[in-house]
Amino acid sequence: MSRNANRIILLGGPGAGKGTVAMTLVDRFALQHLSTGDMLRAAVAAGTELGKTANGFMSHGALVPDDVMVGLIQERVQQADCRLADGTPRFLLDGFPRTMPQADALDRHGLGPDVVVYLVVKDEILVRRLTGRRSCPKCGNPHHVEFAPPLHEGLCDRCGTALVHRVDDQEAAIRKRIDLFHSQTDPLVQRYAPLLVTIDGEQSQERVARSVIEGLRALEATGS
Ligand code: AP5
Ligand code: MG
Ligand code: ZN
């Protein structure tokens, strides 16, 4: 990967495969995976103030307010595991930014991305993926009853924790999340056009992972 590709954003609709491909990228490139959805779900499970605030939005498929999300990310990226030894911020963002104000905040804090990986998947496929998804509440590893069944029924392949069906993976909440993706997050594709690595997210998981890695390596080769 190019030396300046320290900050990568994964962009894509709900169920596009951001969490799935993140697992491979983290192993390959030793990046800190920052999934705002996973961070919020951990806060809900722990019953913190943030969790109580977030739960009301998340369970219906609505977006958590920008100021809450910006504060959360800003605080998280200060930590040592999101920095190189010389202090350069280095991380993989999954689920952030999702709105223009969130993208503005990254730029304002000098945390704008070097590369934006955009996973393109049709809406009807997103719905099938989310209705059949089973998620690991501990490590975030996503499985699917049909497309990515766990090796041992009901248990995470990575850490053995019992898999759950997310509350927002019900049809009504899924539709709302897809609508919000188109109205709030789609404009970021335009904004990040010069940094975009666009990937056909409807390929198999293995091919998606390979395409993303090849896309990142091509950047290294050209240095662009
Ligand atoms: P978040 O957890 O980020 O949810 P999301 O963006 O809706 O994305 P998902 O995690 O549902 O999908 P994914 O792209 O990770 O797909 P996955 O790899 O799991 O956010 C949840 C909520 O938190 C939001 O609705 C909001 O309320 C709040 N929130 C979070 N961030 C926020 C922010 N910045 N601002 C405001 N609010 C925020 O894959 C999906 C399924 O498909 C899995 O079952 C998987 O096994 C399967 N699959 C993956 N790839 C493939 C493939 N290539 N072929 C076949 N199946 C595949
Ligand atoms: Mg995810
Ligand atoms: Zn797990």
Side-chain angles (χ1 to χ4, degrees), residues 136-141 143 156-161 163:
C136 176
K138 189 170 179 202
C139 76
N141 191 22
H143 302 67
C156 174
D157 287 350
R158 277 192 172 234
C159 72
T161 303
L163 299 172

Side-chain angles (χ1 to χ4, degrees), residues 18-20 35 38 41 94 133 142 166:
K18 302 182 295 295
T20 301
S35 158
D38 287 348
R41 281 182 288 278
D94 161 1
R133 175 168 58 184
R166 273 170 46 177

Side-chain angles (χ1 to χ4, degrees), residues 14-15 17-20 36 41 62 64 95 98 102 133 143 177 203:
K18 302 182 295 295
T20 301
T36 42
R41 281 182 288 278
V64 175
R98 253 179 161 88
Q102 293 181 14
R133 175 168 58 184
H143 302 67
R177 287 159 63 202
Q203 306 171 91

Side-chain angles (χ1 to χ4, degrees), residues 10-23 33 35-41 54-66 69-70 72-73 94-99 102 119 121 125-126 128-135 140-149 166 168-169 173 177-178 180-181 200-209:
L10 282 176
L11 203 60
K18 302 182 295 295
T20 301
V21 80
M23 294 287 153
H33 177 207
S35 158
T36 42
D38 287 348
M39 290 159 78
L40 293 172
R41 281 182 288 278
N55 195 33
F57 297 97
M58 292 173 80
S59 55
H60 299 104
L63 291 179
V64 175
D66 286 334
M69 296 312 302
V70 168
L72 181 67
I73 282 294
D94 161 1
F96 187 99
R98 253 179 161 88
T99 64
Q102 293 181 14
L119 300 176
V121 177
I125 294 181
L126 297 178
R128 275 185 69 195
R129 287 192 182 173
L130 293 180
T131 46
R133 175 168 58 184
R134 299 295 179 268
S135 308
N141 191 22
H143 302 67
H144 192 282
V145 290
E146 192 184 341
F147 307 135
R166 273 170 46 177
D168 58 345
D169 280 350
R177 287 159 63 202
I178 292 174
L180 279 170
F181 173 73
D200 174 3
E202 295 181 9
Q203 306 171 91
S204 68
Q205 287 190 20
E206 293 70 26
R207 279 180 179 275
V208 169

Side-chain angles (χ1 to χ4, degrees), residues 177-195:
R177 287 159 63 202
I178 292 174
D179 287 348
L180 279 170
F181 173 73
H182 290 306
S183 63
Q184 303 293 309
T185 314
D186 259 354
L188 296 181
V189 174
Q190 199 66 25
R191 176 184 181 126
Y192 289 131
L195 305 176

